[in-house]
Amino acid sequence: MVSPQFQLRICTPRGELFSGLVTEAILPGLDGEVGVLAGHKNFIGLLGTGVLKLVRDGDDYWFMLSVGVFEMRGGALTVLAEIAEPASEINNQLNAERVKELESSISSMSSYLDDYAQLKVEYDRASARLEAYRRTHLVN
């Protein structure tokens, strides 16, 4: 039996990263993960930083997403992200090194400093890249 599908588009300021029919999407919402299946009612949400999972033709694919909005309207899901990267393009070693550097910097800083907020965003993005890579290589 074929699962119902819906259209998913992932767009960034640099252009469209993905467009196609999927059976499931799990997004990093600002307040936690949001799951979407075909037939979901219309809604708008804020995108956090994390891993998006999509299921297409029975296979799982992961992307790192950071900051934006998503909208389900008329049976189609559109994700507008400041940054989006497919797990297949992530350099795991480079990101692991970056996470360690940022952990060291953040742990010794006061959260009230201006630099802290920017470093925390970088840390969250690097961590999400590692997680997207890890999930891809666990399954595939």
Side-chain angles (χ1 to χ4, degrees), residues 10-14 17 47 63-66 79 81-86 89:
I10 302 171
C11 302
T12 71
R14 299 176 79 190
L17 183 64
L47 189 66
F63 295 78
M64 185 286 290
L65 300 179
S66 185
V79 178
E82 183 178 308
I83 296 175
E85 300 169 2
E89 294 180 10

Side-chain angles (χ1 to χ4, degrees), residues 27-34 45-49 67-68 70:
L27 300 141
L30 191 60
D31 295 334
E33 291 185 331
V34 177
L46 294 175
L47 189 66
T49 296
V67 184
F70 53 92

Side-chain angles (χ1 to χ4, degrees), residues 112-124:
Y112 297 107
L113 297 175
D114 290 338
D115 291 346
Y116 179 87
Q118 181 58 38
L119 290 176
K120 179 70 168 99
V121 169
E122 288 181 44
Y123 173 79
D124 290 345

